[in-house]
Amino acid sequence: MSLSANDKATVKALWAKISPKAEDVGNEALSRMLYVYPQTKTYFSHWSDLTPGSAPVRKHGKKVIGGIGLAVEKIDDLFAGLLTLSELHAFQLRVDPANFRILSHNILVVLAMLFPDDFTPEAHLAMDKFLARVALALSDKYR
Amino acid sequence: MVQWKAEERAAIQAVFAKLDYESVGRETLTRLLVVYPWTRRYFGGFGNLFNSEAIMANPKVAAHGIVVLRGLEMALKNMDDIKNTYASLSELHSEKLQVDPGNFQLLGDCLTVVIATRMRTEFTPDIQAAWQKFLAVVVSALRKQYN
């Protein structure tokens, strides 16, 4: 399910719209992932506070959404563009890739909440495809 | 048996209380057919499903959206025994409609997205948690009769 030129244009346009609130999106998505899918908390046992909107969650949400922003920039070659991040996730973090889908779902829910008029069915399609592709690129170095 | 806390029941009731079945049903099914186009295989008799405008305007999609939400309402009204409440629905989907049960998750995800556009920040993490649990129970019940 590769990204068409239209998908890429749609993702970039949507990203431009949401960029001013990127940090909020990151915080909300990560907060919901940890709260609604508590099994994901197992990766963050070293944090002092895993509750929605806490300082460590907000800080990490910013990092994660920054990674997605990077992926938008590298949308024409995600595998090359996300190589370092893939190595990080494969060898150091060793996050089970099933969790990428959970985070992606929460990103979509938050986009729908905060940008209901922009998150049209077409934008939803493009974003879902894009995030799936990002997950694939992130898991590329796993084995 | 699934245990529901009082807050979870209240949360699910809160979501349903605000649901405009016609609008939410139509948009949910539209998103399913647009975002996951292989699902169109189950709606051969619905006519024009070629693009999102056609799907959104399709009266059969609108009608079916309401059918789906009425089905979910049955689960809401029988939260302590969704499994048995859905026994015949599960058989319908497996024997007659022959729907790949993976699609139930996809429909649930689309519905969650639409609810998020309607409720916006009122769709709190607490409400989302209860809602996702409800959907998981519904999907599991729908899968029960598949063999």
Side-chain angles (χ1 to χ4, degrees):
Chain A
M1 293 189 249
S2 51
L3 299 172
S4 67
N6 194 38
D7 290 326
K8 294 181 190 178
T10 306
V11 168
K12 286 184 182 168
L14 184 67
W15 200 257
K17 276 254 162 65
I18 76 164
S19 281
K21 285 203 167 175
E23 273 186 51
D24 286 334
V25 173
N27 175 40
E28 277 283 353
L30 196 66
S31 292
R32 279 159 194 275
M33 184 192 81
L34 295 165
Y35 191 75
V36 181
Y37 304 89
Q39 68 270 26
T40 58
K41 291 195 290 187
T42 55
Y43 293 98
F44 304 101
S45 48
H46 53 288
W47 286 357
S48 54
D49 185 354
L50 285 159
T51 55
S54 71
V57 172
R58 189 164 263 284
K59 183 173 165 203
H60 198 68
K62 187 173 169 185
K63 197 186 278 188
V64 168
I65 211 78
I68 310 261
L70 173 72
V72 175
E73 267 175 58
K74 308 283 179 182
I75 203 167
D76 288 314
D77 192 352
L78 282 172
F79 283 72
L82 297 180
L83 176 71
T84 316
L85 273 175
S86 181
E87 285 175 344
L88 174 73
H89 284 76
F91 305 127
Q92 280 191 51
L93 304 177
R94 290 177 289 190
V95 173
D96 185 332
N99 296 293
F100 299 151
R101 193 176 179 277
I102 295 176
L103 180 59
S104 296
H105 170 66
N106 283 293
I107 291 173
L108 296 179
V109 169
V110 172
L111 290 179
M113 273 171 54
L114 299 180
F115 304 92
D117 299 321
D118 299 297
F119 199 60
T120 59
E122 292 81 359
H124 181 170
L125 166 66
M127 213 50 206
D128 191 59
K129 283 177 75 175
F130 169 67
L131 290 174
R133 203 100 180 122
V134 168
L136 203 60
L138 270 183
S139 33
D140 193 49
K141 293 293 164 200
Y142 271 60
R143 53 178 181 172
Chain B
M1 212 192 72
V2 183
Q3 306 288 354
W4 299 99
K5 293 187 232 168
E7 311 88 76
E8 288 171 331
R9 287 179 201 271
I12 314 296
Q13 300 279 358
V15 171
F16 269 87
K18 309 193 188 220
L19 276 190
D20 172 347
Y21 283 19
E22 213 186 296
S23 156
V24 169
R26 189 196 304 123
E27 194 179 327
T28 297
L29 211 51
T30 296
R31 283 180 188 263
L32 179 74
L33 297 164
V34 167
V35 181
Y36 308 105
W38 53 91
T39 55
R40 294 175 205 182
R41 74 190 307 281
Y42 300 111
F43 301 99
F46 274 34
N48 186 356
L49 296 177
F50 296 125
N51 55 56
S52 60
E53 292 78 25
I55 295 170
M56 200 62 161
N58 188 315
K60 292 190 171 179
V61 170
H64 199 67
I66 298 176
V67 166
V68 169
L69 286 181
R70 292 254 159 84
L72 276 170
E73 191 185 65
M74 274 170 53
L76 170 76
K77 295 197 163 136
N78 295 279
M79 272 175 74
D80 290 311
D81 197 7
I82 295 177
K83 190 171 77 181
N84 285 317
T85 304
Y86 268 25
S88 52
L89 260 180
S90 178
E91 212 181 296
L92 172 74
H93 283 77
S94 73
E95 300 299 311
K96 183 161 175 250
L97 305 176
Q98 297 190 324
V99 174
D100 180 341
N103 294 296
F104 302 148
Q105 170 87 36
L106 301 183
L107 180 62
D109 287 348
C110 287
L111 177 55
T112 306
V113 162
V114 175
I115 285 169
T117 66
R118 302 298 195 267
M119 291 181 73
R120 310 210 49 191
T121 48
E122 277 182 42
F123 195 55
T124 61
D126 273 323
I127 293 189
Q128 186 183 351
W131 177 250
Q132 304 278 185
K133 178 176 167 180
F134 175 72
L135 282 181
V137 173
V138 162
V139 167
S140 167
L142 268 178
R143 293 182 87 122
K144 261 292 180 271
Q145 303 301 326
Y146 278 74
N147 53 31

